[in-house]
Coordinates of all heavy atoms in Angstrom, one line a residue:
D147 N 103.8 26.3 204.8 CA 104.5 25.8 203.7 C 103.8 26.1 202.3 O 104.5 26.5 201.4 CB 104.6 24.2 203.8 CG 105.4 23.8 204.9 OD1 106.4 24.5 205.3 OD2 105.2 22.7 205.5
K148 N 102.5 26.1 202.3 CA 101.8 26.4 201.0 C 102.0 27.9 200.7 O 102.2 28.3 199.6 CB 100.4 26.1 201.1 CG 100.1 24.6 201.0 CD 98.6 24.3 201.0 CE 98.3 22.8 200.8 NZ 96.9 22.5 200.8
M149 N 102.0 28.7 201.8 CA 102.1 30.1 201.7 C 103.5 30.4 201.1 O 103.7 31.3 200.2 CB 102.0 30.9 202.9 CG 100.5 31.1 203.4 SD 99.7 32.3 202.3 CE 100.5 33.8 202.8
R150 N 104.6 29.8 201.5 CA 105.9 30.0 201.0 C 106.0 29.6 199.6 O 106.6 30.3 198.7 CB 106.9 29.2 201.9 CG 107.3 29.9 203.2 CD 108.5 29.3 203.9 NE 108.2 28.0 204.5 CZ 107.6 27.9 205.8 NH1 107.3 29.1 206.5 NH2 107.3 26.8 206.3
R151 N 105.5 28.4 199.2 CA 105.5 28.0 197.8 C 104.7 28.9 196.9 O 105.2 29.2 195.8 CB 104.9 26.5 197.7 CG 105.9 25.4 198.2 CD 105.4 24.1 197.8 NE 104.1 23.7 198.2 CZ 103.8 23.1 199.4 NH1 104.7 22.8 200.2 NH2 102.5 22.8 199.7
Q152 N 103.6 29.4 197.4 CA 102.8 30.3 196.5 C 103.5 31.6 196.3 O 103.5 32.2 195.3 CB 101.4 30.5 197.2 CG 100.5 31.3 196.4 CD 100.0 30.6 195.2 OE1 100.1 29.4 195.0 NE2 99.4 31.3 194.2
T153 N 104.2 32.1 197.4 CA 104.9 33.4 197.3 C 106.0 33.2 196.4 O 106.3 34.1 195.6 CB 105.3 33.8 198.8 OG1 104.2 33.9 199.6 CG2 106.1 35.1 198.7
K154 N 106.7 32.1 196.5 CA 107.9 31.9 195.6 C 107.4 31.9 194.1 O 108.0 32.5 193.2 CB 108.6 30.5 195.9 CG 109.8 30.3 195.1 CD 110.4 29.0 195.6 CE 111.7 28.7 194.9 NZ 111.6 28.1 193.6
M155 N 106.3 31.1 193.8 CA 105.7 31.1 192.5 C 105.3 32.5 192.0 O 105.6 32.9 190.9 CB 104.5 30.2 192.4 CG 103.9 30.0 191.0 SD 102.8 31.3 190.4 CE 101.4 31.3 191.6
L156 N 104.7 33.3 192.9 CA 104.3 34.7 192.4 C 105.6 35.5 192.2 O 105.6 36.4 191.3 CB 103.4 35.2 193.5 CG 102.0 34.7 193.6 CD1 101.3 35.2 194.8 CD2 101.2 35.1 192.3
I157 N 106.6 35.4 193.0 CA 107.8 36.1 192.8 C 108.4 35.8 191.4 O 108.9 36.6 190.7 CB 108.8 35.9 193.9 CG1 108.4 36.6 195.2 CG2 110.2 36.4 193.5 CD1 109.1 36.2 196.4
E158 N 108.4 34.5 191.1 CA 109.0 34.0 189.8 C 108.1 34.3 188.6 O 108.5 34.6 187.5 CB 109.3 32.5 189.9 CG 110.4 32.2 190.9 CD 110.5 30.8 191.2 OE1 109.8 30.0 190.7 OE2 111.5 30.4 191.9

Side-chain angles (χ1 to χ4, degrees):
D147 289 334
K148 287 182 177 183
M149 282 290 292
R150 279 192 284 280
R151 284 194 304 270
Q152 187 70 15
T153 301
K154 183 177 186 279
M155 184 278 299
L156 286 168
I157 289 169
E158 294 172 354

